[in-house]
Amino acid sequence: MGQPTPATDDGWWRSAVIYQVYVRSFADGDGDGTGDLAGVRARLPYLAELGVDALWFNPWYRSPMKDGGYDVADYRAIDPAFGTLAEAEKLIAEARELGIRTIVDIVPNHVSDQHPWFRAALAGGPERELFHFRPGRGDHGELPPNDWTSEFGGPAWTRLPDGDWYLHLFAPEQPDLNWAHPAVRQEHEDILRFWFDRGVAGVRIDSAALLAKDPGLPDFTEGRDPHPYVDRDELHDVYRAWRAVADEYGAVFVGEVWLPDTERFARYLRPDELHTAFNFSFMTCPWDAARLRRSIDDTLAEHAPVGAPATWVLCNHDVTRTVTRYGRADTGFDFATKAFGTPTDLALGTRRARAAGLLSLALPGAVYVYQGEELGLPEADIPLDRIEDPMHARSGGTDPGRDGCRVPLPWAADEPHAGFGGEPWLPQPDGWAAYAADRQAEDPASMLSLYRAAIRSRPEFGDGPLTWLPAPDGVLAFARADALCVVNLADTPVDLPAHSALLLASGPLDTAGRLPADTAVWLRS
């Protein structure tokens, strides 16, 4: 401990399958209804059998949990609900023995209002310089310092009893840090070293494009360039410094970067900055062949100039689950479609999700699998009195929030609470046990069996580029190495291209050997 591990980055991250663990909902090891590190450790054999290369953990740090752990009070301590630092160190080591690396989440834009820095700032200490405190506008300072709005709805400012206001781009319990202050930069570099010293192989950076703010904190004007707090040029100095730390350890970064400008997006992936960034255009694409192909082409094109690998993801802890999204008439990404009662054809959504799984795993680059996607879990409707996500309250109840994709996993069909552990912190829907991992493991036609087979067979596509093949309208077909992937998004069956063997199919072919609608196959050429 305390000595950098050798810089042995072998490029594993360029084509890895990375499994996202939302600890609170993964597995409950002590029976209190909250997922924990003991539960993850007990399920490591399951993850090894699934075949994943790494685990990305959502924040597991000490937190008041006002935003699911993204309000961090102490980056060097594990939240007691999840376990201890010693358990985290054991988990990292035990996973590595199984060939599975660990990626942790860092939330650099803000901390919890219970963080020692912010508590000292409220007491009037010099730590105020580490945040954005400002007097208000209006005759008596009764108006916020500017017109910025929170990502969760409502104003991005909260007034204190002393009359000053502080900035929070998210919830009031998540005050934004002042990244112009050297102490903020130094602290985060020290945090990186703390976790790299414990064997962590990489870091996922939350809200990676939001850290730097215009020092004048001007009002937001549509089209303002540069933006007062998104994708500011000075942010790249931060990530260049972080990259120097990561290179000492052979560690990697993946950034949560939401940007429509592909050229500016690619800047974050230059050789001296982040290794990878999440690809949101693919995740938010509707089930439409032309739009998916355009998303794939655009993604590969924007990564090519900087030599960075693409990433592919269908779902995460912030968006509606794939089965539900693809089972709706409008399968595009729109938070408004999360409203309760939206009609969903789960059978259709499941067929499409199976096909989309094969599509994403056949593409060049890294793939992220959110826990439960390999089980085909749908979005759950959460009773209003059980919703915990602050997005619901901050929206005045118009947005149901993100809890529907965070319901604790079903592990064993015949055990209480579907084998999760104690009574779950979020209610599991009726029929949840039908998705249980133990039942799916025995069914060769299950979603779990499909994902296991696909991850095992993924090397058939090699590590080379993608070549599109001629295909009818509504069909995606491409080759990599000696393997082909064909996905039928049209309404009618289509003939398969010439091939020597059928490697894997998301569903059965029709009686004529054709590929049905909403089905994908992997073929050997």
Side-chain angles (χ1 to χ4, degrees):
M1 197 71 63
Q3 294 297 319
T5 55
T8 55
D9 172 19
D10 56 3
W12 64 271
W13 45 275
R14 301 187 72 87
S15 59
V17 177
I18 301 169
Y19 188 92
Q20 180 186 352
V21 179
Y22 191 79
V23 178
R24 198 178 183 189
S25 297
F26 185 73
D28 172 17
D30 62 9
D32 67 355
T34 295
D36 47 38
L37 301 189
V40 179
R41 291 174 64 199
R43 300 294 179 179
L44 284 175
Y46 167 89
L47 295 165
E49 186 172 1
L50 184 58
V52 300
D53 300 294
L55 305 177
W56 156 35
F57 289 90
N58 289 104
W60 56 13
Y61 315 107
R62 186 183 296 276
S63 167
M65 296 291 169
K66 298 298 184 181
D67 181 26
Y70 281 88
D71 48 321
V72 179
D74 185 350
Y75 265 115
R76 296 173 178 83
I78 299 297
D79 193 89
F82 300 149
T84 65
L85 180 59
E87 283 185 283
E89 292 170 347
K90 289 180 181 178
L91 171 54
I92 293 166
E94 290 167 355
R96 195 68 187 88
E97 289 174 1
L98 293 172
I100 301 173
R101 295 171 168 88
T102 297
I103 296 172
V104 296
D105 219 315
I106 296 293
V107 191
N109 180 69
H110 49 263
V111 293
S112 166
D113 61 357
Q114 300 303 305
H115 190 283
W117 278 1
F118 193 70
R119 297 177 73 174
L122 292 183
E127 288 83 359
R128 282 211 170 201
E129 297 179 3
L130 306 178
F131 300 91
H132 298 279
F133 285 88
R134 293 291 189 278
R137 297 190 290 191
D139 292 340
H140 305 286
E142 73 278 8
L143 300 176
N146 65 28
D147 64 356
W148 297 1
T149 58
S150 163
E151 296 288 321
F152 290 166
W157 295 90
T158 290
R159 196 179 192 188
L160 297 170
D162 65 7
D164 270 357
W165 299 72
Y166 69 88
L167 176 68
H168 52 85
L169 289 181
F170 293 86
E173 297 86 359
Q174 297 168 291
D176 279 37
L177 290 165
N178 174 16
W179 273 88
H181 198 292
V184 173
R185 295 184 57 161
Q186 184 60 57
E187 168 67 358
H188 282 77
E189 290 174 24
D190 291 346
I191 290 168
L192 293 175
R193 294 183 186 278
F194 179 88
W195 286 105
F196 292 155
D197 282 338
R198 281 155 181 78
V200 164
V203 166
R204 180 262 190 185
I205 306 167
D206 180 71
S207 300
L210 300 185
L211 281 57
K213 314 295 194 292
D214 185 323
L217 299 179
D219 281 344
F220 177 78
T221 302
E222 194 68 40
R224 176 189 286 271
D225 188 21
H227 193 287
Y229 60 84
V230 175
D231 183 37
R232 294 183 61 80
D233 288 342
E234 56 265 39
L235 185 51
H236 295 282
D237 288 339
V238 172
Y239 293 136
R240 278 190 283 270
W242 283 28
R243 180 60 178 261
V245 175
D247 285 348
E248 295 178 27
Y249 293 84
V252 300
F253 292 123
V254 55
E256 183 191 29
V257 182
W258 291 77
L259 292 178
D261 186 319
T262 58
E263 187 276 331
R264 293 196 66 86
F265 174 86
R267 292 185 184 187
Y268 290 85
L269 301 175
R270 289 175 290 195
D272 61 347
E273 295 192 41
L274 308 183
H275 299 75
T276 61
F278 282 122
N279 172 13
F280 293 110
S281 71
F282 182 77
M283 180 180 70
T284 60
C285 219
W287 189 246
D288 177 89
R291 291 178 66 177
L292 279 167
R293 175 165 175 168
R294 185 162 62 249
S295 174
I296 293 167
D297 284 341
D298 289 349
T299 297
L300 296 175
E302 69 191 15
H303 286 71
V306 289
T311 64
W312 312 99
V313 60
L314 296 172
C315 184
N316 64 29
H317 64 294
D318 284 335
V319 301
T320 303
R321 282 197 177 273
T322 312
V323 165
T324 298
R325 199 170 68 248
Y326 281 158
R328 291 173 174 160
D330 176 9
T331 56
F333 180 82
D334 182 351
F335 275 112
T337 66
K338 294 194 300 182
F340 293 114
T342 302
T344 296
D345 182 340
L346 288 183
L348 174 64
T350 298
R351 287 199 304 275
R352 289 175 171 177
R354 290 172 65 93
L358 290 195
L359 170 61
S360 62
L361 285 163
L363 294 168
V367 177
Y368 284 76
V369 178
Y370 177 47
Q371 65 180 43
E373 286 292 285
E374 81 282 9
L375 301 178
L377 297 182
E379 187 83 355
D381 282 349
I382 308 299
L384 292 176
D385 62 348
R386 295 293 300 274
I387 293 176
E388 297 201 10
D389 186 357
M391 289 186 72
H392 176 67
R394 295 279 292 179
S395 70
T398 60
D399 190 322
R402 301 160 293 177
D403 289 344
C405 65
R406 301 176 178 182
V407 173
L409 297 189
W411 290 101
D414 297 326
E415 293 183 13
H417 312 302
F420 172 71
E423 182 176 351
W425 69 279
L426 280 176
Q428 295 172 319
D430 293 339
W432 208 237
Y435 297 97
D438 66 341
R439 182 172 294 177
Q440 293 203 37
E442 302 301 320
D443 179 4
S446 70
M447 185 77 84
L448 177 58
S449 294
L450 177 69
Y451 263 84
R452 285 177 173 175
I455 293 172
R456 184 171 58 249
S457 301
R458 193 166 181 249
E460 293 274 357
F461 288 93
D463 58 3
L466 173 155
T467 301
W468 290 107
L469 303 175
D473 288 344
V475 177
L476 299 175
F478 60 84
R480 293 181 60 216
D482 294 325
L484 315 177
C485 177
V486 184
V487 188
N488 183 9
L489 296 88
D491 295 330
T492 57
V494 295
D495 292 326
L496 295 177
H499 60 280
S500 62
L502 173 64
L503 298 173
L504 192 60
S506 67
L509 304 181
D510 71 7
T511 55
R514 297 174 301 177
L515 185 64
D518 302 316
T519 308
V521 290
W522 289 359
L523 308 170
R524 185 175 290 123
S525 59

